[in-house]
Amino acid sequence: AHTEMVDASGFVRSAKYRDQILGRGGPIQRQGTAATCQTGGDGHSAAGCATWDSDPSRQERAERRQDHPLVLQLGGADLENLVAAARLAVRDGRCVAVELNCGCPQRCAKKGGYGAFLLEPGRRAHLVAIVSALREALPASMPLLAKIRVLSDIGETVALARCL
């Protein structure tokens, strides 16, 4: 199972948020009708992003806890927060892989400079640095995935993928 895109900074700052994402009880995140990403309650406006369900059923919580193996999909642009979130995922023990979302085109991603906005020409070196730091932080046996969009030039897409 994959998580929805998880705000790396919220994941690092909030044990409650981590528990909600990893399904260790408490409310779980439920995807809204037009939403694909979520935030960790850091106060920024997340219009268009997923909404919190503060009263999930016991069955929903139990189902979330049974999602295994789990791939944690991280969103963010801050290298230190992404690395810290990945290390927390490793420590949790339920996550078998980490995926960096470089494809989200939503307003919350644009505002935070992450998702598809890491693919902009001026940001690609930073994206490569993030992937390199994540790879170094994770155990060699743990897969690191980077979900990207196809760029307008296929050759550029292939070149970027090779750098990652």
Side-chain angles (χ1 to χ4, degrees):
H2 272 75
T3 66
E4 294 88 0
M5 184 171 66
V6 172
D7 172 55
S9 63
F11 192 81
V12 169
R13 280 194 322 272
S14 172
K16 180 179 178 183
Y17 184 56
R18 284 192 301 276
D19 289 347
Q20 290 168 340
I21 297 303
L22 300 174
R24 291 190 296 243
I28 60 171
Q29 196 279 339
R30 208 189 267 177
Q31 190 171 347
T33 56
T36 58
C37 61
Q38 57 186 315
T39 63
D42 62 359
H44 79 275
S45 172
C49 289
T51 57
W52 291 99
D53 179 352
S54 61
D55 190 24
S57 71
R58 253 183 226 180
Q59 180 180 353
E60 287 173 310
R61 288 193 304 267
E63 288 171 2
R64 186 64 173 244
R65 284 189 294 273
Q66 292 172 6
D67 282 345
H68 188 75
L70 185 65
V71 176
L72 178 66
Q73 185 184 117
L74 293 173
D78 182 272
L79 189 144
E80 289 80 19
N81 278 327
L82 287 161
V83 167
R87 287 183 175 145
L88 286 168
V90 169
R91 191 175 320 147
D92 174 73
R94 289 190 57 228
C95 297
V96 297
V98 172
E99 178 175 84
L100 179 63
N101 185 312
C102 304
C104 182
Q106 293 194 20
R107 283 182 288 176
C108 56
K110 183 175 185 175
K111 183 175 181 178
Y114 59 91
F117 304 94
L118 286 170
L119 300 176
E120 293 176 351
R123 308 270 334 234
R124 292 180 193 163
H126 181 61
L127 172 59
V128 171
I130 288 171
V131 170
S132 177
L134 285 170
R135 180 68 274 159
E136 189 174 311
L138 293 172
S141 61
M142 181 176 271
L144 172 63
L145 312 163
K147 180 170 73 171
I148 66 171
R149 291 180 168 268
V150 175
L151 305 172
S152 58
D153 181 300
I154 297 297
E156 282 185 50
T157 306
V158 171
L160 177 60
R162 286 186 175 144
C163 287
L164 299 177

